[in-house]
Amino acid sequence: MKFYRYTDNYLKHFQGEMKKWNYEDGCVLMGCVLLYQATGDEKYQEFVLKYLNEYITNEGTIKYYEEEKYNIDSINTGKVLFHAYEWTGREKYRKAIEVLMNQLRKHPRTKSGNFWHKMIYPNQVWLDGLYMAQPFYMMYETKYNKKENYSDIIEQFKNVRKYLYNEEKELYYHAYDQSKELFWADKETGQSPNFWLRSMGWYLMALIDVMDEMEESIFEHYKTLEDLFREAIKGILKYQDPKSKLFYQVIDRADIKDNYLETSGSAMIGYSILKACRKGVLLKEKYQEMGEAIVDSLTENMLIEEDGTLKLSNICSVAGLGPSDNPRRDGSVEYYLSEPIVCDDQKGVGAYMMAYAQKLMIF
């Protein structure tokens, strides 16, 4: 099958971000975790453990990790540590989980209570950061902390709904600066100016993954996230390309010539829909075919062959806002369309693997 031919070759030649504890590789690792769950094929488990063995010492120290930067991205790969600990029982993984949780305990926050995106992005909340931290945080609270901080997690999502949601468009802006001082921030609302696809993908995955890790018996909290998720799905589907079933880099501007159907964000939406169908958050009868159509379209249209090798195409390499010494990253439509479009980026490949795994598990 095309998917396995591609991913087998990708993992065989995987380079990753060498000597850097990073969220990008964590996306691929989580794809492997879910494919292991879906197929039982131990090659995925072995890939994850081999990778982690390069970064986690026997004492539980994480190589190349820098807590003092208070980078919320650094938390993402920590989710995989829970699985590694469950698989092996090795205490080094449990200790490494505590290293990352210690960052969250001290992580700077906005006045409204959300984690800053990074130390170099003070007072800022990005949709990306919800996926980077909140599923890990919820896993920790459910497994190790008697659910004591569930309300903190829920409030961070509620703040994002309050400060980043556009009622008319039914979409979330990429980011929010509570100080309202950054050059890209609206001086009245603090919002960035546009709707970037992958940021919405991060947000949807954050919601469904947090729901998956929380105790449903805490009904009020669960219902809050469920309502937010359904609302966001309803909004994003308004902008789905009817022919390809995928979504545009700048979500609501299909009218712009240089806008393009982007792989990573589309995969994240497919993943979120299919996982929500599995969990009963969305009706299978209504949404399962939609989710599967997204995944199938990625396989058909975005896996391209060059010199006998399959590549996953149309992935936005990176997009961000600021900091103050980088005025190019201003959140404009032109900015989002100026970033490189690449093949085989971990963020796109990982999301595609995760989405495909959900398709396998839904049966």
Side-chain angles (χ1 to χ4, degrees):
M1 289 178 63
K2 199 174 181 182
F3 170 81
Y4 294 110
R5 180 183 155 205
Y6 169 70
T7 51
D8 285 353
N9 185 67
Y10 180 85
L11 294 176
K12 180 180 178 182
H13 296 99
F14 184 75
Q15 295 294 321
E17 301 286 337
M18 299 303 291
K19 295 188 176 182
K20 181 182 178 185
W21 178 255
N22 67 94
Y23 79 94
E24 293 96 336
D25 290 356
C27 295
V28 175
L29 295 178
M30 186 52 65
C32 287
V33 168
L34 294 176
L35 284 170
Y36 175 59
Q37 292 175 354
T39 67
D41 192 326
E42 292 183 356
K43 68 186 177 187
Y44 300 115
Q45 184 189 60
E46 290 168 1
F47 180 89
V48 172
L49 293 176
K50 181 180 179 182
Y51 181 98
L52 291 178
N53 196 49
E54 296 295 318
Y55 283 87
I56 311 300
T57 70
N58 289 332
E59 293 74 34
T61 301
I62 303 173
K63 295 180 182 177
Y64 316 114
Y65 162 70
E66 299 171 287
E67 179 188 302
E68 65 277 6
K69 289 188 175 181
Y70 289 103
N71 182 347
I72 208 71
D73 292 342
S74 299
I75 305 298
N76 181 52
T77 304
K79 294 177 296 189
V80 182
L81 298 170
F82 290 91
H83 297 283
Y85 184 50
E86 181 181 314
W87 294 337
T88 68
R90 297 191 66 182
E91 283 299 315
K92 70 175 188 175
Y93 298 122
R94 178 70 180 87
K95 292 175 180 177
I97 289 169
E98 287 296 335
V99 169
L100 295 175
M101 190 61 209
N102 192 52
Q103 175 185 323
L104 287 189
R105 291 188 183 104
K106 299 184 293 183
H107 202 95
R109 295 181 182 235
T110 64
K111 290 180 181 178
S112 56
N114 282 66
F115 297 131
W116 286 6
H117 194 63
K118 300 180 185 179
M119 187 64 84
I120 63 169
Y121 297 126
N123 304 302
Q124 295 173 40
V125 179
W126 297 16
L127 293 182
D128 319 28
L130 291 164
Y131 180 75
M132 300 303 154
Q134 303 301 338
F136 173 92
Y137 192 6
M138 181 58 76
M139 293 172 87
Y140 188 90
E141 289 300 313
T142 300
K143 294 176 184 297
Y144 301 135
N145 203 42
K146 301 178 182 178
K147 304 179 277 293
E148 288 188 6
N149 290 314
Y150 269 28
S151 59
D152 181 26
I153 296 168
I154 304 306
E155 286 302 314
Q156 294 198 47
F157 279 102
K158 288 168 69 175
N159 282 337
V160 166
R161 172 61 172 78
K162 179 179 179 180
Y163 294 115
L164 286 165
Y165 188 67
N166 181 299
E167 297 278 356
E168 180 185 354
K169 294 282 190 176
E170 297 182 69
L171 294 171
Y172 285 77
Y173 292 102
H174 184 179
Y176 163 73
D177 170 28
Q178 192 148 45
S179 73
K180 303 176 185 177
E181 294 176 354
L182 267 289
F183 64 90
W184 52 259
D186 185 277
K187 298 310 175 188
E188 292 186 9
T189 67
Q191 295 163 343
S192 60
N194 283 291
F195 308 103
W196 177 44
L197 179 62
R198 190 157 68 225
S199 70
M200 277 292 296
W202 291 128
Y203 176 67
L204 289 168
M205 292 203 302
L207 281 167
I208 197 63
D209 284 359
V210 166
M211 281 188 275
D212 192 30
E213 296 298 338
M214 75 184 297
E215 292 284 350
E216 291 185 39
S217 58
I218 315 297
F219 179 76
E220 184 178 346
H221 288 333
Y222 192 87
K223 183 69 164 57
T224 295
L225 297 185
E226 195 173 49
D227 290 345
L228 289 174
F229 181 83
R230 289 171 177 165
E231 177 185 65
I233 286 291
K234 176 176 173 286
I236 195 77
L237 286 173
K238 287 170 51 179
Y239 303 94
Q240 185 177 30
D241 177 56
K243 183 178 179 181
S244 69
K245 308 304 181 186
L246 304 179
F247 299 83
Y248 283 90
Q249 163 79 341
V250 181
I251 301 170
D252 62 327
R253 298 304 309 272
D255 58 305
I256 294 180
K257 179 184 175 183
D258 292 333
N259 207 356
Y260 62 96
L261 297 168
E262 200 276 332
T263 292
S264 66
S266 296
M268 291 172 181
I269 295 167
Y271 164 87
S272 300
I273 289 172
L274 290 173
K275 188 167 186 176
C277 288
R278 284 183 52 232
K279 290 192 60 60
V281 174
L282 295 176
L283 287 173
K284 276 188 179 184
E285 295 80 5
K286 182 177 180 180
Y287 289 96
Q288 181 175 335
E289 284 189 10
M290 293 183 188
E292 291 176 342
I294 294 169
V295 179
D296 291 344
S297 179
L298 291 169
T299 302
E300 181 179 350
N301 298 308
M302 297 308 186
L303 276 183
I304 60 173
E305 189 158 349
E306 293 183 0
D307 300 323
T309 301
L310 288 171
K311 297 181 178 181
L312 188 65
S313 64
N314 274 45
I315 304 169
C316 172
S317 176
V318 66
L321 296 156
S324 55
D325 60 355
N326 192 352
R328 187 180 76 86
R329 296 178 19 143
D330 61 359
S332 64
V333 172
E334 294 75 18
Y335 162 68
Y336 286 116
L337 299 182
S338 72
E339 289 288 10
I341 305 168
V342 299
C343 293
D344 295 341
D345 180 275
Q346 301 100 301
K347 299 178 288 294
V349 177
Y352 177 49
M353 292 167 70
M354 289 188 273
Y356 201 94
Q358 292 304 317
K359 182 184 174 185
L360 293 175
M361 286 191 276
I362 204 166
F363 293 107

